[in-house]
Amino acid sequence: MSDLSTAFPRVEAFLHRIAKLCILLASIALVVLILTFGWLVFGRYVLNMTPTWVEQLALLLICYITFLGAAAGVFEDTHLGVTLFRDMLPVTVQKVLVILIDIVLAVFGGVMLVAGITLMRFGWTTMLPMLNVSEAVRTLAITSSGGLLMLFAGSRAVLRVLSFGRPAQTSNEEGR
């Protein structure tokens, strides 16, 4: 990185593309979930043959929808947060707290990543009932979300530390 002012937009654009991909994949999973339940209802009430694999697929899809959506929410800074007390503090203290929050989120993502890898190793040979895919496919959602949380929050913390003395460029950045 030769110049921080040119590096920030490139890093943010790269992370933005990854977050949009998370939202796209979660959206596709949601559509598949809805179609699957439509097939369940059709199979049960019209064909009188309940497809038994729907429940397991639904559980798998919900894992991906939830974890990918959570990672994108961390990137977009739309995750649950209570800012009442932080907003009452001086601006410099607010900036420090926001950086600490990003660091805590990145560490939490790292713990999810390591725990997810452990779960993937443990469940690699176990097959999900009715789907005949490895249990590791389900825990991949946890692992990927942890890695994405670590990437999104960690890079945001680094960028905030590097630009700590600079004034905020837009009103949107002050809320982040």
Side-chain angles (χ1 to χ4, degrees):
M1 281 196 281
S2 60
D3 185 14
L4 291 177
S5 62
T6 59
F8 286 5
R10 288 182 190 153
V11 171
E12 289 175 1
F14 173 71
L15 296 176
H16 185 63
R17 283 192 292 271
I18 293 174
K20 290 295 176 193
L21 180 62
C22 289
I23 292 170
L24 175 67
L25 292 174
S27 299
I28 291 170
L30 184 60
V31 169
V32 171
L33 180 70
I34 292 167
L35 292 174
T36 302
F37 273 101
W39 177 251
L40 172 76
V41 170
F42 181 78
R44 179 178 290 164
Y45 296 109
V46 175
L47 301 178
N48 202 25
M49 286 182 7
T50 303
T52 55
W53 51 268
V54 171
E55 181 183 353
Q56 287 299 318
L57 182 60
L59 291 171
L60 181 65
L61 291 172
I62 287 171
C63 286
Y64 280 92
I65 293 166
T66 303
F67 286 112
L68 290 175
V74 166
F75 173 77
E76 294 175 356
D77 209 11
T78 56
H79 56 85
L80 180 63
V82 180
T83 62
L84 174 69
F85 297 113
R86 184 188 74 197
D87 292 345
M88 292 189 299
L89 297 171
V91 175
T92 306
V93 177
Q94 287 181 24
K95 288 182 179 182
V96 170
L97 282 176
V98 169
I99 291 169
L100 288 174
I101 290 167
D102 285 338
I103 292 169
V104 168
L105 282 172
V107 169
F108 180 73
V111 170
M112 282 178 62
L113 177 65
V114 171
I117 290 170
T118 303
L119 285 171
M120 285 179 72
R121 286 184 184 158
F122 180 74
W124 192 259
T125 57
T126 306
M127 296 301 208
L128 288 174
M130 318 240 191
L131 294 181
N132 279 339
V133 296
S134 173
E135 176 71 33
V137 173
R138 185 184 334 235
T139 54
L140 177 62
I142 298 166
T143 308
S144 58
S145 179
L148 290 167
L149 283 174
M150 201 167 71
L151 176 68
F152 292 151
S155 61
R156 190 168 55 207
V158 169
L159 292 175
R160 284 182 175 158
V161 166
L162 293 175
S163 65
F164 189 74
R166 297 179 183 185
Q169 294 177 351
T170 64
S171 61
N172 216 6
E173 286 295 315
E174 292 172 7
R176 290 186 112 187

